Amino acid sequence: MQVVDGWLSTAEKVVSPHFNERPDGCSIRLLVIHNISLPPYQFDVDWVEPFFVGQLDTRAHPYFYQLEGLRVSSHLYIKRNGKIIQFVPFEKRAWHAGQSEFMGDADCNDFSIGIEMAGADSLPYTKLQYEALIDVTRVLQKNYPLIKKEHIVGHCDIAPQRKTDPGISFNWSRYLDAL
């Protein structure tokens, strides 16, 4: 596994239109872990990919109405089986963090990489997801050396008034100790 032209060599590539350029001179120095399931707690039909590429049929489920018009993406999405999908090249600014702040710097999308885990706050993540996340993190740290352990956070850490993910079920010790 390696990064080639901003893309993870082993990830499935599904290009999202929901990204833009990072500000000039802005270094990637933060890794943000998220969770997502659409609808919540359901994984039998994967609606995340259509959501991240702007093709979610908001009539397909009552929960989706609130997502109408949202333009969201992440760099990576790790499914329950450990499969990795990449939507935005790492050098580009994915739209995953929203209104956020890290160490006094606002708008974390400018300087972060976002990884979505298929999951929910109170649902344990799978062994395969942790293995994939650990492998990906090691590759990202090699390519973006400013991403130190203390610069790996949950969405809840950068937007605590709005977000709770990756949730109480995410085993930070298991993850960080393996790096």
Side-chain angles (χ1 to χ4, degrees):
M1 179 184 307
Q2 60 186 343
V3 175
V4 179
D5 296 326
W7 295 93
L8 193 62
S9 62
T10 56
E12 179 183 339
K13 186 176 179 180
V14 178
V15 180
S16 173
H18 304 155
F19 72 92
N20 57 353
E21 298 296 322
R22 294 183 187 273
D24 288 340
C26 194
S27 298
I28 297 169
R29 60 185 183 275
L30 183 67
L31 181 60
V32 181
I33 309 300
H34 304 263
N35 74 34
I36 190 168
S37 55
L38 294 176
Y41 294 92
Q42 294 186 25
F43 306 102
D44 53 337
V45 178
D46 199 340
W47 295 100
V48 174
E49 290 130 286
F51 179 53
F52 283 164
V53 298
Q55 297 176 356
L56 179 66
D57 180 359
T58 55
R59 298 165 298 171
H61 189 279
Y63 179 83
F64 297 163
Y65 287 111
Q66 64 187 304
L67 304 176
E68 182 74 42
L70 286 181
R71 296 173 55 189
V72 178
S73 63
S74 187
H75 291 93
L76 299 177
Y77 172 48
I78 301 177
K79 297 177 87 166
R80 304 290 291 172
N81 63 5
K83 179 179 178 181
I84 303 168
I85 300 172
Q86 185 167 359
F87 295 94
V88 175
F90 299 123
E91 282 76 28
K92 302 297 182 185
R93 182 181 179 275
W95 302 341
H96 62 95
Q99 186 178 5
S100 53
E101 182 181 320
F102 179 72
M103 299 180 87
D105 292 327
D107 203 354
C108 294
N109 286 335
D110 289 348
F111 53 89
S112 67
I113 290 173
I115 299 178
E116 294 276 359
M117 304 281 284
D121 286 7
S122 59
L123 182 68
Y125 296 89
T126 70
K127 178 180 185 282
L128 294 173
Q129 284 180 296
Y130 281 109
E131 289 171 357
L133 180 61
I134 291 163
D135 289 346
V136 164
T137 302
R138 288 177 179 153
V139 169
L140 292 175
Q141 287 181 306
K142 180 179 176 186
N143 285 271
Y144 306 98
L146 296 178
I147 301 176
K148 306 290 185 199
K149 276 189 186 182
E150 58 272 13
H151 288 199
I152 300 173
V153 299
H155 199 185
C156 58
D157 298 312
I158 61 169
Q161 303 303 316
R162 299 184 307 110
K163 297 297 181 174
T164 58
D165 56 317
I168 58 172
S169 63
F170 188 78
N171 189 332
W172 284 101
S173 294
R174 175 181 185 177
Y175 168 50
L176 294 174
D177 290 349
L179 298 180

